[in-house]
């Protein structure tokens, strides 16, 4: 059943769905967890730091909309951790998975000539390999959700990858990070074509500058004045002249998971205040 065969309320609802969101303890990931849970989705999430997860669970537990969120520690760069994560999510979500959001990622500011083999391998494993492998692991569960749905409609199961405008525009010292995001964009398109027959939609959101601490967590330490000047220079190239908020990315992710988006697949959507279209 296409979205046109549903009521308006059904097209814009995620009630009763289940989701696995990686990297959900901070920034965009946390906003996605909270947005989906607010729409009635049962969410399982993960992060490398169990302490960060426990703090989130305590905070979420005080909100009736978020109290059903579950979490487990996982380093998505590690194959065994990914396998355990999906097994745990299946257990926590009652054997059903409707939505996979590949959000976890790391950045690295380093000149190409100074990038080590270890640096390269870590970023590739965290940002790209994890997205591919988690999609592989989730695929049987997404198919089960399709089969369980009434009529097996095409909007039942979906994957949303979180990329970056770094996959479209070039920044100094971000060559490896940008390569992982460009590859994620193409992985999105390829899986969308391959899995359309399975009624699994695959899309990607590519944020521009968003108010998170990903730069600080990369290990880069900048003088506050230098950091401010860099931010001002970047914002000058954004037509909306401001940085994005995590909730603005999360709302787009939620839309792509809804039946209202049932005819959208294989798309990489930039949420960047117009940065990638500005001269």
């Amino acid at each position: 059943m296409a979205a046109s065969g549903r009521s308006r309320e059904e097209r814009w609802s995620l009630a009763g769905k289940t989701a696995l969101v990686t990297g959900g303890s901070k920034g965009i990931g946390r906003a996605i967890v909270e947005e989906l849970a607010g729409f009635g989705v049962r969410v399982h999430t993960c992060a490398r730091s169990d302490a960060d997860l426990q703090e989130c669970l305590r905070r979420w537990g005080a909100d009736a909309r978020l109290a059903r969120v579950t979490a487990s520690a996982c380093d998505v760069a590690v194959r065994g951790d990914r396998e355990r994560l999906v097994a745990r999510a299946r257990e926590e979500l009652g054997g059903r998975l409707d939505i996979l959001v590949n959000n976890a990622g790391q950045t690295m500011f380093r000149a190409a000539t100074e990038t080590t083999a270890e640096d390269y391998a870590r970023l590739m494993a965290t940002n790209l390999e994890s997205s591919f492998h988690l999609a592989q692991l989730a695929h049987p569960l997404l198919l089960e959700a399709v089969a369980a749905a009434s009529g097996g409609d095409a909007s039942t199961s979906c994957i949303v990858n979180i990329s970056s405008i770094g996959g479209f525009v070039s920044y100094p010292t971000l060559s490896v990070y940008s390569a992982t995001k460009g590859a994620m964009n193409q992985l999105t398109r390829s899986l969308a074509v391959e899995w359309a027959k399975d009624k699994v939609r695959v899309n990607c959101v590519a944020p521009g500058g968003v108010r998170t601490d990903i730069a600080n967590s990369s290990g880069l330490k900048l003088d506050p004045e230098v950091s401010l000047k860099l931010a001002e220079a970047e914002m000058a190239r954004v037509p909306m002249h401001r940085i994005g908020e995590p909730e603005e990315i999360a709302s787009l992710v939620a839309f792509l998971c809804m039946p209202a988006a049932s005819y959208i697949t294989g798309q990489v959507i930039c949420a960047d205040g117009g940065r990638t279209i500005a001269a």
Side-chain angles (χ1 to χ4, degrees), residues 89-131:
R90 181 171 191 164
E91 177 184 340
E92 294 286 356
L93 301 175
R96 174 177 176 175
L97 183 65
D98 299 289
I99 299 162
L100 169 65
V101 181
N102 283 311
N103 165 76
Q106 287 184 316
T107 190
M108 180 183 67
F109 297 87
R110 192 159 299 161
T113 54
E114 298 173 4
T115 300
T116 67
E118 291 74 18
D119 292 332
Y120 180 90
R122 175 174 57 82
L123 245 64
M124 286 292 171
T126 302
N127 295 1
L128 180 60
E129 181 186 326
S130 70
S131 297

Side-chain angles (χ1 to χ4, degrees), residues 55-78:
E55 176 58 33
C56 285
L57 289 171
R58 282 191 290 273
R59 187 165 63 88
W60 292 333
D63 186 328
R65 300 171 307 153
L66 307 176
R68 297 182 69 192
V69 175
T70 57
S72 54
C74 172
D75 182 347
V76 298
V78 179

Side-chain angles (χ1 to χ4, degrees), residues 10 12-18 36 39-41 99 254-255 257-259:
E10 289 173 325
W12 294 92
S13 174
L14 288 172
K17 299 294 187 181
T18 60
L36 293 178
F39 276 107
V41 179
I99 299 162
F255 165 68
C257 296
M258 289 181 175

Side-chain angles (χ1 to χ4, degrees), residues 247-262:
E247 294 76 15
E248 293 178 301
I249 308 305
S251 62
L252 176 54
V253 171
F255 165 68
L256 289 172
C257 296
M258 289 181 175
S262 60

Side-chain angles (χ1 to χ4, degrees), residues 52 129 135 159 220 259:
D52 288 346
E129 181 186 326
I159 297 173
L220 179 68

Side-chain angles (χ1 to χ4, degrees), residues 161-172:
N161 296 318
I162 306 301
S163 176
S164 165
I165 62 168
F168 293 95
V169 299
S170 300
Y171 293 95

Side-chain angles (χ1 to χ4, degrees), residues 210-277:
V210 176
R211 198 182 309 280
T212 72
D213 64 353
I214 188 171
N216 293 331
S217 65
S218 72
L220 179 68
K221 302 299 181 184
L222 289 177
D223 178 272
E225 186 175 341
V226 172
S227 181
L228 179 61
K229 288 182 178 179
L230 289 174
E232 289 174 345
E234 179 64 13
M235 287 306 101
R237 303 188 67 178
V238 177
M240 293 181 71
H241 296 296
R242 69 173 178 86
I243 197 167
E245 300 295 336
E247 294 76 15
E248 293 178 301
I249 308 305
S251 62
L252 176 54
V253 171
F255 165 68
L256 289 172
C257 296
M258 289 181 175
S262 60
Y263 201 49
I264 301 174
T265 196
Q267 302 307 301
V268 182
I269 303 174
C270 294
D272 63 356
R275 170 68 171 84
T276 50
I277 61 163

